[in-house]
Amino acid sequence: HFRFNALVSAIIIANVVCMGVETFKSAAWQDSILEHSNWFFTLAFGLECFFKMIALSPRRYFYAGWDRFDYALVMASFATIAIEGYATLIGVNASILRSLRVFRLFRILRVFRIFRQAKGLQNIVAAIFASLPKIVNLFCLLALLFFVYSILGVTLFGSVCTNFDQKLPDLQAVRCILGPDGSVLDSHAHFSNVGYA
């Protein structure tokens, strides 16, 4: 049991490394290697699910949340391979085939399988989720503080001229044109309203 989990952890880490090697404009041989490695990892994870179902019985296997998560990822991976293979086989348009690659995003979720093996990571994630209500309160307090300071900025500096004030028609721009040099604010950073402040 321990050796099986160690082997699965090694396969997960190897899968993460292979996903990290993927680049935007890769050569054809790189794409071929990555595609074959994806098939290998999908098959390996499928065999893991199969062996665990045999060892635990399907009822016990689907009782655990992590096992259901693993099963869903494996089935999504098999479905992605099947869809891409069928689309290539019947000669689907290249743009549609590229849009079908969105389903490959499910492979990223395989990274989360490492949480099952590492109890320390599970404790960290549990602590983060336990502290979320307090973090939300902190963000609300910071938003209130920013709002108060933006109102203060508009009140104190809202009348300072900006670049686009000099282009106003008639006498509205005279105050900004005749003002001292360096007293005009940039049109992207000014205090004319709370949104900009």
Side-chain angles (χ1 to χ4, degrees):
H1 191 267
F2 172 74
R3 289 181 183 165
F4 182 75
N5 286 338
L7 177 66
V8 170
S9 295
I11 292 173
I12 291 171
I13 291 170
N15 185 16
V16 170
V17 169
C18 282
M19 285 190 293
V21 171
E22 192 170 348
T23 59
F24 174 61
K25 290 186 178 182
S26 55
W29 63 271
Q30 289 174 315
D31 289 338
S32 176
I33 290 173
L34 289 173
E35 188 172 343
H36 285 86
S37 68
N38 181 39
W39 294 345
F40 168 75
F41 290 123
T42 302
L43 180 64
F45 294 138
L47 288 173
E48 177 208 2
C49 288
F50 177 71
F51 289 142
K52 285 177 90 173
M53 273 192 223
I54 290 173
L56 298 175
S57 81
R59 184 176 202 165
R60 275 187 61 202
Y61 177 79
F62 286 111
Y63 182 74
W66 281 108
D67 288 332
R68 288 194 305 262
F69 178 71
D70 289 348
Y71 183 79
L73 285 179
V74 168
M75 290 301 113
S77 297
F78 278 127
T80 301
I81 289 173
I83 289 171
E84 287 180 356
Y86 182 71
T88 305
L89 184 67
I90 63 171
V92 174
N93 189 353
S95 62
I96 295 173
L97 190 59
R98 279 192 298 271
S99 64
L100 288 175
R101 293 187 180 199
V102 170
F103 293 113
R104 286 188 172 193
L105 294 176
F106 287 115
R107 293 185 311 164
I108 296 171
L109 297 176
R110 290 179 186 167
V111 174
F112 292 110
R113 297 186 64 202
I114 201 73
F115 284 117
R116 179 181 192 162
Q117 309 297 331
K119 299 296 180 191
L121 287 176
Q122 287 181 9
N123 293 337
I124 291 171
V125 170
I128 289 172
F129 280 120
S131 65
L132 278 179
K134 293 176 179 74
I135 292 173
V136 169
N137 290 339
L138 178 66
F139 280 134
C140 289
L141 181 66
L142 287 173
L144 180 65
L145 187 67
F146 280 124
F147 183 70
V148 167
Y149 278 114
S150 63
I151 289 175
L152 188 63
V154 169
T155 302
L156 295 176
F157 306 110
S159 61
V160 176
C161 294
T162 60
N163 287 342
F164 58 83
D165 287 342
Q166 294 175 344
K167 297 174 185 167
L168 292 173
D170 300 328
L171 294 174
Q172 295 176 8
V174 171
R175 175 177 64 92
C176 298
I177 293 171
L178 297 177
D181 290 336
S183 64
V184 178
L185 295 177
D186 187 71
S187 60
H188 299 291
H190 54 82
F191 297 94
S192 63
N193 60 39
V194 174
Y196 279 107

PDB file of all heavy atoms in Angstrom, residues 18-55:
ATOM      1  N   CYS A  18       6.160  17.195 -16.810  1.00  0.00           N
ATOM      2  CA  CYS A  18       5.871  17.169 -18.252  1.00  0.00           C
ATOM      3  C   CYS A  18       4.944  18.307 -18.655  1.00  0.00           C
ATOM      4  O   CYS A  18       5.116  18.905 -19.720  1.00  0.00           O
ATOM      5  CB  CYS A  18       5.256  15.833 -18.645  1.00  0.00           C
ATOM      6  SG  CYS A  18       6.467  14.524 -18.790  1.00  0.00           S
ATOM      7  N   MET A  19       3.963  18.631 -17.817  1.00  0.00           N
ATOM      8  CA  MET A  19       3.078  19.748 -18.129  1.00  0.00           C
ATOM      9  C   MET A  19       3.829  21.070 -18.050  1.00  0.00           C
ATOM     10  O   MET A  19       3.535  22.007 -18.799  1.00  0.00           O
ATOM     11  CB  MET A  19       1.872  19.763 -17.194  1.00  0.00           C
ATOM     12  CG  MET A  19       0.858  18.705 -17.512  1.00  0.00           C
ATOM     13  SD  MET A  19      -0.698  18.899 -16.611  1.00  0.00           S
ATOM     14  CE  MET A  19      -0.200  18.597 -14.951  1.00  0.00           C
ATOM     15  N   GLY A  20       4.811  21.162 -17.155  1.00  0.00           N
ATOM     16  CA  GLY A  20       5.595  22.381 -17.033  1.00  0.00           C
ATOM     17  C   GLY A  20       6.556  22.608 -18.182  1.00  0.00           C
ATOM     18  O   GLY A  20       6.983  23.722 -18.446  1.00  0.00           O
ATOM     19  N   VAL A  21       6.913  21.550 -18.899  1.00  0.00           N
ATOM     20  CA  VAL A  21       7.842  21.640 -20.021  1.00  0.00           C
ATOM     21  C   VAL A  21       7.143  22.153 -21.282  1.00  0.00           C
ATOM     22  O   VAL A  21       7.782  22.686 -22.178  1.00  0.00           O
ATOM     23  CB  VAL A  21       8.495  20.255 -20.267  1.00  0.00           C
ATOM     24  CG1 VAL A  21       9.306  20.225 -21.538  1.00  0.00           C
ATOM     25  CG2 VAL A  21       9.355  19.881 -19.092  1.00  0.00           C
ATOM     26  N   GLU A  22       5.826  22.044 -21.328  1.00  0.00           N
ATOM     27  CA  GLU A  22       5.076  22.442 -22.523  1.00  0.00           C
ATOM     28  C   GLU A  22       5.241  23.938 -22.780  1.00  0.00           C
ATOM     29  O   GLU A  22       5.187  24.752 -21.863  1.00  0.00           O
ATOM     30  CB  GLU A  22       3.589  22.114 -22.313  1.00  0.00           C
ATOM     31  CG  GLU A  22       2.771  22.202 -23.552  1.00  0.00           C
ATOM     32  CD  GLU A  22       1.369  21.627 -23.355  1.00  0.00           C
ATOM     33  OE1 GLU A  22       1.138  20.974 -22.334  1.00  0.00           O
ATOM     34  OE2 GLU A  22       0.542  21.863 -24.236  1.00  0.00           O
ATOM     35  N   THR A  23       5.467  24.299 -24.055  1.00  0.00           N
ATOM     36  CA  THR A  23       5.655  25.694 -24.450  1.00  0.00           C
ATOM     37  C   THR A  23       4.621  26.095 -25.486  1.00  0.00           C
ATOM     38  O   THR A  23       3.899  25.259 -26.026  1.00  0.00           O
ATOM     39  CB  THR A  23       7.067  25.908 -25.034  1.00  0.00           C
ATOM     40  OG1 THR A  23       7.229  25.064 -26.171  1.00  0.00           O
ATOM     41  CG2 THR A  23       8.140  25.619 -24.012  1.00  0.00           C
ATOM     42  N   PHE A  24       4.578  27.394 -25.782  1.00  0.00           N
ATOM     43  CA  PHE A  24       3.562  27.914 -26.702  1.00  0.00           C
ATOM     44  C   PHE A  24       3.805  27.456 -28.136  1.00  0.00           C
ATOM     45  O   PHE A  24       2.968  26.833 -28.742  1.00  0.00           O
ATOM     46  CB  PHE A  24       3.517  29.441 -26.613  1.00  0.00           C
ATOM     47  CG  PHE A  24       2.612  30.076 -27.619  1.00  0.00           C
ATOM     48  CD1 PHE A  24       1.266  29.797 -27.635  1.00  0.00           C
ATOM     49  CD2 PHE A  24       3.115  30.932 -28.572  1.00  0.00           C
ATOM     50  CE1 PHE A  24       0.419  30.370 -28.572  1.00  0.00           C
ATOM     51  CE2 PHE A  24       2.280  31.514 -29.512  1.00  0.00           C
ATOM     52  CZ  PHE A  24       0.940  31.229 -29.503  1.00  0.00           C
ATOM     53  N   LYS A  25       4.957  27.785 -28.681  1.00  0.00           N
ATOM     54  CA  LYS A  25       5.271  27.397 -30.059  1.00  0.00           C
ATOM     55  C   LYS A  25       6.341  26.318 -30.012  1.00  0.00           C
ATOM     56  O   LYS A  25       7.524  26.584 -30.177  1.00  0.00           O
ATOM     57  CB  LYS A  25       5.751  28.596 -30.856  1.00  0.00           C
ATOM     58  CG  LYS A  25       4.665  29.597 -31.145  1.00  0.00           C
ATOM     59  CD  LYS A  25       5.167  30.689 -32.066  1.00  0.00           C
ATOM     60  CE  LYS A  25       4.041  31.662 -32.374  1.00  0.00           C
ATOM     61  NZ  LYS A  25       4.462  32.702 -33.297  1.00  0.00           N
ATOM     62  N   SER A  26       5.907  25.105 -29.790  1.00  0.00           N
ATOM     63  CA  SER A  26       6.855  23.994 -29.683  1.00  0.00           C
ATOM     64  C   SER A  26       7.007  23.299 -31.027  1.00  0.00           C
ATOM     65  O   SER A  26       6.155  23.399 -31.908  1.00  0.00           O
ATOM     66  CB  SER A  26       6.393  23.008 -28.615  1.00  0.00           C
ATOM     67  OG  SER A  26       5.085  22.574 -28.891  1.00  0.00           O
ATOM     68  N   ALA A  27       8.098  22.567 -31.150  1.00  0.00           N
ATOM     69  CA  ALA A  27       8.359  21.818 -32.376  1.00  0.00           C
ATOM     70  C   ALA A  27       7.437  20.607 -32.449  1.00  0.00           C
ATOM     71  O   ALA A  27       6.834  20.204 -31.447  1.00  0.00           O
ATOM     72  CB  ALA A  27       9.819  21.378 -32.405  1.00  0.00           C
ATOM     73  N   ALA A  28       7.351  20.013 -33.618  1.00  0.00           N
ATOM     74  CA  ALA A  28       6.464  18.863 -33.814  1.00  0.00           C
ATOM     75  C   ALA A  28       6.889  17.685 -32.953  1.00  0.00           C
ATOM     76  O   ALA A  28       6.047  16.974 -32.403  1.00  0.00           O
ATOM     77  CB  ALA A  28       6.449  18.469 -35.294  1.00  0.00           C
ATOM     78  N   TRP A  29       8.211  17.469 -32.793  1.00  0.00           N
ATOM     79  CA  TRP A  29       8.670  16.346 -31.988  1.00  0.00           C
ATOM     80  C   TRP A  29       8.333  16.559 -30.516  1.00  0.00           C
ATOM     81  O   TRP A  29       8.042  15.610 -29.795  1.00  0.00           O
ATOM     82  CB  TRP A  29      10.169  16.096 -32.186  1.00  0.00           C
ATOM     83  CG  TRP A  29      11.055  17.225 -31.744  1.00  0.00           C
ATOM     84  CD1 TRP A  29      11.474  18.290 -32.487  1.00  0.00           C
ATOM     85  CD2 TRP A  29      11.629  17.390 -30.445  1.00  0.00           C
ATOM     86  NE1 TRP A  29      12.264  19.120 -31.741  1.00  0.00           N
ATOM     87  CE2 TRP A  29      12.393  18.584 -30.475  1.00  0.00           C
ATOM     88  CE3 TRP A  29      11.586  16.657 -29.272  1.00  0.00           C
ATOM     89  CZ2 TRP A  29      13.077  19.062 -29.373  1.00  0.00           C
ATOM     90  CZ3 TRP A  29      12.280  17.132 -28.166  1.00  0.00           C
ATOM     91  CH2 TRP A  29      13.018  18.313 -28.219  1.00  0.00           C
ATOM     92  N   GLN A  30       8.358  17.835 -30.055  1.00  0.00           N
ATOM     93  CA  GLN A  30       7.975  18.117 -28.668  1.00  0.00           C
ATOM     94  C   GLN A  30       6.495  17.833 -28.454  1.00  0.00           C
ATOM     95  O   GLN A  30       6.104  17.261 -27.436  1.00  0.00           O
ATOM     96  CB  GLN A  30       8.285  19.568 -28.320  1.00  0.00           C
ATOM     97  CG  GLN A  30       9.756  19.874 -28.198  1.00  0.00           C
ATOM     98  CD  GLN A  30       9.999  21.358 -28.006  1.00  0.00           C
ATOM     99  OE1 GLN A  30       9.401  22.193 -28.699  1.00  0.00           O
ATOM    100  NE2 GLN A  30      10.879  21.687 -27.073  1.00  0.00           N
ATOM    101  N   ASP A  31       5.667  18.267 -29.423  1.00  0.00           N
ATOM    102  CA  ASP A  31       4.234  17.994 -29.324  1.00  0.00           C
ATOM    103  C   ASP A  31       3.966  16.492 -29.292  1.00  0.00           C
ATOM    104  O   ASP A  31       3.103  16.022 -28.548  1.00  0.00           O
ATOM    105  CB  ASP A  31       3.479  18.631 -30.495  1.00  0.00           C
ATOM    106  CG  ASP A  31       3.424  20.145 -30.393  1.00  0.00           C
ATOM    107  OD1 ASP A  31       3.573  20.665 -29.267  1.00  0.00           O
ATOM    108  OD2 ASP A  31       3.250  20.798 -31.431  1.00  0.00           O
ATOM    109  N   SER A  32       4.700  15.754 -30.100  1.00  0.00           N
ATOM    110  CA  SER A  32       4.529  14.298 -30.137  1.00  0.00           C
ATOM    111  C   SER A  32       4.888  13.668 -28.799  1.00  0.00           C
ATOM    112  O   SER A  32       4.160  12.816 -28.281  1.00  0.00           O
ATOM    113  CB  SER A  32       5.385  13.709 -31.251  1.00  0.00           C
ATOM    114  OG  SER A  32       5.308  12.307 -31.241  1.00  0.00           O
ATOM    115  N   ILE A  33       6.007  14.094 -28.219  1.00  0.00           N
ATOM    116  CA  ILE A  33       6.419  13.556 -26.917  1.00  0.00           C
ATOM    117  C   ILE A  33       5.403  13.905 -25.848  1.00  0.00           C
ATOM    118  O   ILE A  33       5.019  13.066 -25.021  1.00  0.00           O
ATOM    119  CB  ILE A  33       7.830  14.066 -26.546  1.00  0.00           C
ATOM    120  CG1 ILE A  33       8.876  13.424 -27.446  1.00  0.00           C
ATOM    121  CG2 ILE A  33       8.147  13.783 -25.083  1.00  0.00           C
ATOM    122  CD1 ILE A  33      10.264  13.984 -27.267  1.00  0.00           C
ATOM    123  N   LEU A  34       4.929  15.151 -25.843  1.00  0.00           N
ATOM    124  CA  LEU A  34       3.956  15.564 -24.832  1.00  0.00           C
ATOM    125  C   LEU A  34       2.627  14.821 -24.999  1.00  0.00           C
ATOM    126  O   LEU A  34       1.978  14.467 -24.019  1.00  0.00           O
ATOM    127  CB  LEU A  34       3.745  17.079 -24.903  1.00  0.00           C
ATOM    128  CG  LEU A  34       4.926  17.915 -24.415  1.00  0.00           C
ATOM    129  CD1 LEU A  34       4.682  19.382 -24.694  1.00  0.00           C
ATOM    130  CD2 LEU A  34       5.173  17.682 -22.940  1.00  0.00           C
ATOM    131  N   GLU A  35       2.233  14.590 -26.247  1.00  0.00           N
ATOM    132  CA  GLU A  35       0.985  13.862 -26.480  1.00  0.00           C
ATOM    133  C   GLU A  35       1.112  12.417 -26.008  1.00  0.00           C
ATOM    134  O   GLU A  35       0.206  11.897 -25.344  1.00  0.00           O
ATOM    135  CB  GLU A  35       0.636  13.908 -27.961  1.00  0.00           C
ATOM    136  CG  GLU A  35      -0.738  13.353 -28.270  1.00  0.00           C
ATOM    137  CD  GLU A  35      -1.119  13.584 -29.718  1.00  0.00           C
ATOM    138  OE1 GLU A  35      -0.499  14.430 -30.384  1.00  0.00           O
ATOM    139  OE2 GLU A  35      -2.050  12.893 -30.172  1.00  0.00           O
ATOM    140  N   HIS A  36       2.233  11.779 -26.304  1.00  0.00           N
ATOM    141  CA  HIS A  36       2.430  10.397 -25.856  1.00  0.00           C
ATOM    142  C   HIS A  36       2.560  10.320 -24.336  1.00  0.00           C
ATOM    143  O   HIS A  36       2.062   9.376 -23.707  1.00  0.00           O
ATOM    144  CB  HIS A  36       3.659   9.782 -26.530  1.00  0.00           C
ATOM    145  CG  HIS A  36       3.418   9.425 -27.960  1.00  0.00           C
ATOM    146  ND1 HIS A  36       3.581  10.334 -28.975  1.00  0.00           N
ATOM    147  CD2 HIS A  36       3.012   8.263 -28.540  1.00  0.00           C
ATOM    148  CE1 HIS A  36       3.294   9.750 -30.135  1.00  0.00           C
ATOM    149  NE2 HIS A  36       2.944   8.500 -29.902  1.00  0.00           N
ATOM    150  N   SER A  37       3.208  11.319 -23.735  1.00  0.00           N
ATOM    151  CA  SER A  37       3.298  11.317 -22.270  1.00  0.00           C
ATOM    152  C   SER A  37       1.922  11.529 -21.650  1.00  0.00           C
ATOM    153  O   SER A  37       1.608  10.942 -20.610  1.00  0.00           O
ATOM    154  CB  SER A  37       4.279  12.390 -21.790  1.00  0.00           C
ATOM    155  OG  SER A  37       3.775  13.684 -22.031  1.00  0.00           O
ATOM    156  N   ASN A  38       1.079  12.349 -22.285  1.00  0.00           N
ATOM    157  CA  ASN A  38      -0.287  12.525 -21.785  1.00  0.00           C
ATOM    158  C   ASN A  38      -1.055  11.204 -21.835  1.00  0.00           C
ATOM    159  O   ASN A  38      -1.778  10.862 -20.903  1.00  0.00           O
ATOM    160  CB  ASN A  38      -1.016  13.595 -22.597  1.00  0.00           C
ATOM    161  CG  ASN A  38      -2.417  13.838 -22.097  1.00  0.00           C
ATOM    162  OD1 ASN A  38      -2.676  13.833 -20.898  1.00  0.00           O
ATOM    163  ND2 ASN A  38      -3.341  14.055 -23.013  1.00  0.00           N
ATOM    164  N   TRP A  39      -0.891  10.455 -22.929  1.00  0.00           N
ATOM    165  CA  TRP A  39      -1.540   9.143 -23.021  1.00  0.00           C
ATOM    166  C   TRP A  39      -1.022   8.212 -21.923  1.00  0.00           C
ATOM    167  O   TRP A  39      -1.797   7.500 -21.288  1.00  0.00           O
ATOM    168  CB  TRP A  39      -1.298   8.502 -24.381  1.00  0.00           C
ATOM    169  CG  TRP A  39      -1.935   9.205 -25.531  1.00  0.00           C
ATOM    170  CD1 TRP A  39      -2.923  10.157 -25.477  1.00  0.00           C
ATOM    171  CD2 TRP A  39      -1.621   9.034 -26.912  1.00  0.00           C
ATOM    172  NE1 TRP A  39      -3.240  10.583 -26.739  1.00  0.00           N
ATOM    173  CE2 TRP A  39      -2.457   9.908 -27.647  1.00  0.00           C
ATOM    174  CE3 TRP A  39      -0.724   8.248 -27.594  1.00  0.00           C
ATOM    175  CZ2 TRP A  39      -2.426  10.003 -29.018  1.00  0.00           C
ATOM    176  CZ3 TRP A  39      -0.683   8.329 -28.973  1.00  0.00           C
ATOM    177  CH2 TRP A  39      -1.524   9.199 -29.676  1.00  0.00           C
ATOM    178  N   PHE A  40       0.300   8.221 -21.707  1.00  0.00           N
ATOM    179  CA  PHE A  40       0.884   7.359 -20.684  1.00  0.00           C
ATOM    180  C   PHE A  40       0.325   7.703 -19.307  1.00  0.00           C
ATOM    181  O   PHE A  40      -0.073   6.806 -18.547  1.00  0.00           O
ATOM    182  CB  PHE A  40       2.415   7.496 -20.683  1.00  0.00           C
ATOM    183  CG  PHE A  40       3.068   6.865 -19.492  1.00  0.00           C
ATOM    184  CD1 PHE A  40       3.193   5.492 -19.389  1.00  0.00           C
ATOM    185  CD2 PHE A  40       3.531   7.655 -18.444  1.00  0.00           C
ATOM    186  CE1 PHE A  40       3.772   4.910 -18.286  1.00  0.00           C
ATOM    187  CE2 PHE A  40       4.114   7.090 -17.339  1.00  0.00           C
ATOM    188  CZ  PHE A  40       4.241   5.710 -17.253  1.00  0.00           C
ATOM    189  N   PHE A  41       0.311   8.999 -18.969  1.00  0.00           N
ATOM    190  CA  PHE A  41      -0.156   9.388 -17.638  1.00  0.00           C
ATOM    191  C   PHE A  41      -1.647   9.114 -17.473  1.00  0.00           C
ATOM    192  O   PHE A  41      -2.096   8.685 -16.410  1.00  0.00           O
ATOM    193  CB  PHE A  41       0.161  10.853 -17.366  1.00  0.00           C
ATOM    194  CG  PHE A  41       1.617  11.122 -17.176  1.00  0.00           C
ATOM    195  CD1 PHE A  41       2.274  12.044 -17.967  1.00  0.00           C
ATOM    196  CD2 PHE A  41       2.353  10.443 -16.219  1.00  0.00           C
ATOM    197  CE1 PHE A  41       3.624  12.286 -17.810  1.00  0.00           C
ATOM    198  CE2 PHE A  41       3.702  10.675 -16.041  1.00  0.00           C
ATOM    199  CZ  PHE A  41       4.340  11.609 -16.845  1.00  0.00           C
ATOM    200  N   THR A  42      -2.422   9.343 -18.524  1.00  0.00           N
ATOM    201  CA  THR A  42      -3.852   9.038 -18.439  1.00  0.00           C
ATOM    202  C   THR A  42      -4.067   7.540 -18.230  1.00  0.00           C
ATOM    203  O   THR A  42      -4.893   7.131 -17.406  1.00  0.00           O
ATOM    204  CB  THR A  42      -4.567   9.521 -19.716  1.00  0.00           C
ATOM    205  OG1 THR A  42      -4.350  10.923 -19.868  1.00  0.00           O
ATOM    206  CG2 THR A  42      -6.052   9.263 -19.637  1.00  0.00           C
ATOM    207  N   LEU A  43      -3.327   6.730 -18.959  1.00  0.00           N
ATOM    208  CA  LEU A  43      -3.425   5.282 -18.787  1.00  0.00           C
ATOM    209  C   LEU A  43      -2.981   4.867 -17.384  1.00  0.00           C
ATOM    210  O   LEU A  43      -3.629   4.032 -16.741  1.00  0.00           O
ATOM    211  CB  LEU A  43      -2.595   4.564 -19.847  1.00  0.00           C
ATOM    212  CG  LEU A  43      -2.612   3.034 -19.785  1.00  0.00           C
ATOM    213  CD1 LEU A  43      -4.021   2.518 -20.058  1.00  0.00           C
ATOM    214  CD2 LEU A  43      -1.627   2.451 -20.765  1.00  0.00           C
ATOM    215  N   ALA A  44      -1.892   5.452 -16.897  1.00  0.00           N
ATOM    216  CA  ALA A  44      -1.398   5.113 -15.553  1.00  0.00           C
ATOM    217  C   ALA A  44      -2.421   5.475 -14.492  1.00  0.00           C
ATOM    218  O   ALA A  44      -2.696   4.681 -13.577  1.00  0.00           O
ATOM    219  CB  ALA A  44      -0.075   5.834 -15.283  1.00  0.00           C
ATOM    220  N   PHE A  45      -3.033   6.653 -14.606  1.00  0.00           N
ATOM    221  CA  PHE A  45      -4.039   7.055 -13.616  1.00  0.00           C
ATOM    222  C   PHE A  45      -5.312   6.223 -13.759  1.00  0.00           C
ATOM    223  O   PHE A  45      -6.000   5.950 -12.774  1.00  0.00           O
ATOM    224  CB  PHE A  45      -4.339   8.545 -13.736  1.00  0.00           C
ATOM    225  CG  PHE A  45      -3.177   9.423 -13.373  1.00  0.00           C
ATOM    226  CD1 PHE A  45      -2.867  10.533 -14.130  1.00  0.00           C
ATOM    227  CD2 PHE A  45      -2.370   9.129 -12.294  1.00  0.00           C
ATOM    228  CE1 PHE A  45      -1.797  11.339 -13.813  1.00  0.00           C
ATOM    229  CE2 PHE A  45      -1.292   9.928 -11.961  1.00  0.00           C
ATOM    230  CZ  PHE A  45      -1.004  11.043 -12.724  1.00  0.00           C
ATOM    231  N   GLY A  46      -5.629   5.828 -14.994  1.00  0.00           N
ATOM    232  CA  GLY A  46      -6.768   4.938 -15.193  1.00  0.00           C
ATOM    233  C   GLY A  46      -6.537   3.582 -14.553  1.00  0.00           C
ATOM    234  O   GLY A  46      -7.435   3.012 -13.920  1.00  0.00           O
ATOM    235  N   LEU A  47      -5.319   3.050 -14.693  1.00  0.00           N
ATOM    236  CA  LEU A  47      -4.990   1.782 -14.047  1.00  0.00           C
ATOM    237  C   LEU A  47      -5.010   1.911 -12.527  1.00  0.00           C
ATOM    238  O   LEU A  47      -5.426   0.991 -11.825  1.00  0.00           O
ATOM    239  CB  LEU A  47      -3.617   1.290 -14.525  1.00  0.00           C
ATOM    240  CG  LEU A  47      -3.563   0.766 -15.952  1.00  0.00           C
ATOM    241  CD1 LEU A  47      -2.129   0.465 -16.355  1.00  0.00           C
ATOM    242  CD2 LEU A  47      -4.437  -0.472 -16.097  1.00  0.00           C
ATOM    243  N   GLU A  48      -4.576   3.061 -12.038  1.00  0.00           N
ATOM    244  CA  GLU A  48      -4.644   3.285 -10.587  1.00  0.00           C
ATOM    245  C   GLU A  48      -6.091   3.203 -10.099  1.00  0.00           C
ATOM    246  O   GLU A  48      -6.386   2.538  -9.098  1.00  0.00           O
ATOM    247  CB  GLU A  48      -4.043   4.650 -10.239  1.00  0.00           C
ATOM    248  CG  GLU A  48      -4.144   4.963  -8.751  1.00  0.00           C
ATOM    249  CD  GLU A  48      -4.223   6.451  -8.447  1.00  0.00           C
ATOM    250  OE1 GLU A  48      -4.247   7.269  -9.385  1.00  0.00           O
ATOM    251  OE2 GLU A  48      -4.292   6.775  -7.250  1.00  0.00           O
ATOM    252  N   CYS A  49      -6.990   3.885 -10.807  1.00  0.00           N
ATOM    253  CA  CYS A  49      -8.412   3.827 -10.436  1.00  0.00           C
ATOM    254  C   CYS A  49      -8.931   2.393 -10.497  1.00  0.00           C
ATOM    255  O   CYS A  49      -9.643   1.947  -9.591  1.00  0.00           O
ATOM    256  CB  CYS A  49      -9.238   4.724 -11.354  1.00  0.00           C
ATOM    257  SG  CYS A  49      -9.018   6.462 -11.090  1.00  0.00           S
ATOM    258  N   PHE A  50      -8.581   1.683 -11.543  1.00  0.00           N
ATOM    259  CA  PHE A  50      -9.049   0.306 -11.722  1.00  0.00           C
ATOM    260  C   PHE A  50      -8.553  -0.597 -10.587  1.00  0.00           C
ATOM    261  O   PHE A  50      -9.328  -1.340  -9.988  1.00  0.00           O
ATOM    262  CB  PHE A  50      -8.572  -0.217 -13.085  1.00  0.00           C
ATOM    263  CG  PHE A  50      -8.925  -1.640 -13.356  1.00  0.00           C
ATOM    264  CD1 PHE A  50     -10.241  -2.002 -13.614  1.00  0.00           C
ATOM    265  CD2 PHE A  50      -7.952  -2.624 -13.333  1.00  0.00           C
ATOM    266  CE1 PHE A  50     -10.570  -3.320 -13.858  1.00  0.00           C
ATOM    267  CE2 PHE A  50      -8.265  -3.936 -13.579  1.00  0.00           C
ATOM    268  CZ  PHE A  50      -9.586  -4.295 -13.839  1.00  0.00           C
ATOM    269  N   PHE A  51      -7.259  -0.513 -10.275  1.00  0.00           N
ATOM    270  CA  PHE A  51      -6.704  -1.356  -9.221  1.00  0.00           C
ATOM    271  C   PHE A  51      -7.291  -1.012  -7.856  1.00  0.00           C
ATOM    272  O   PHE A  51      -7.551  -1.900  -7.032  1.00  0.00           O
ATOM    273  CB  PHE A  51      -5.180  -1.240  -9.173  1.00  0.00           C
ATOM    274  CG  PHE A  51      -4.492  -1.890 -10.336  1.00  0.00           C
ATOM    275  CD1 PHE A  51      -3.376  -1.308 -10.909  1.00  0.00           C
ATOM    276  CD2 PHE A  51      -4.961  -3.081 -10.880  1.00  0.00           C
ATOM    277  CE1 PHE A  51      -2.737  -1.899 -11.988  1.00  0.00           C
ATOM    278  CE2 PHE A  51      -4.330  -3.678 -11.959  1.00  0.00           C
ATOM    279  CZ  PHE A  51      -3.213  -3.079 -12.516  1.00  0.00           C
ATOM    280  N   LYS A  52      -7.522   0.276  -7.623  1.00  0.00           N
ATOM    281  CA  LYS A  52      -8.104   0.666  -6.332  1.00  0.00           C
ATOM    282  C   LYS A  52      -9.556   0.211  -6.228  1.00  0.00           C
ATOM    283  O   LYS A  52     -10.015  -0.156  -5.149  1.00  0.00           O
ATOM    284  CB  LYS A  52      -7.995   2.179  -6.144  1.00  0.00           C
ATOM    285  CG  LYS A  52      -6.588   2.614  -5.810  1.00  0.00           C
ATOM    286  CD  LYS A  52      -6.474   4.097  -5.699  1.00  0.00           C
ATOM    287  CE  LYS A  52      -6.732   4.525  -4.286  1.00  0.00           C
ATOM    288  NZ  LYS A  52      -6.459   5.953  -4.094  1.00  0.00           N
ATOM    289  N   MET A  53     -10.274   0.222  -7.354  1.00  0.00           N
ATOM    290  CA  MET A  53     -11.659  -0.273  -7.323  1.00  0.00           C
ATOM    291  C   MET A  53     -11.685  -1.766  -7.029  1.00  0.00           C
ATOM    292  O   MET A  53     -12.564  -2.235  -6.299  1.00  0.00           O
ATOM    293  CB  MET A  53     -12.359   0.014  -8.651  1.00  0.00           C
ATOM    294  CG  MET A  53     -12.999   1.350  -8.717  1.00  0.00           C
ATOM    295  SD  MET A  53     -14.064   1.436 -10.159  1.00  0.00           S
ATOM    296  CE  MET A  53     -13.644   3.035 -10.753  1.00  0.00           C
ATOM    297  N   ILE A  54     -10.749  -2.495  -7.605  1.00  0.00           N
ATOM    298  CA  ILE A  54     -10.695  -3.938  -7.345  1.00  0.00           C
ATOM    299  C   ILE A  54     -10.311  -4.197  -5.888  1.00  0.00           C
ATOM    300  O   ILE A  54     -10.906  -5.039  -5.210  1.00  0.00           O
ATOM    301  CB  ILE A  54      -9.694  -4.620  -8.302  1.00  0.00           C
ATOM    302  CG1 ILE A  54     -10.258  -4.615  -9.714  1.00  0.00           C
ATOM    303  CG2 ILE A  54      -9.387  -6.036  -7.863  1.00  0.00           C
ATOM    304  CD1 ILE A  54      -9.287  -5.116 -10.755  1.00  0.00           C
ATOM    305  N   ALA A  55      -9.325  -3.457  -5.378  1.00  0.00           N
ATOM    306  CA  ALA A  55      -8.840  -3.687  -4.022  1.00  0.00           C
ATOM    307  C   ALA A  55      -9.844  -3.247  -2.963  1.00  0.00           C
ATOM    308  O   ALA A  55     -10.001  -3.911  -1.932  1.00  0.00           O
ATOM    309  CB  ALA A  55      -7.519  -2.963  -3.815  1.00  0.00           C
TER     310      ALA A  55
END
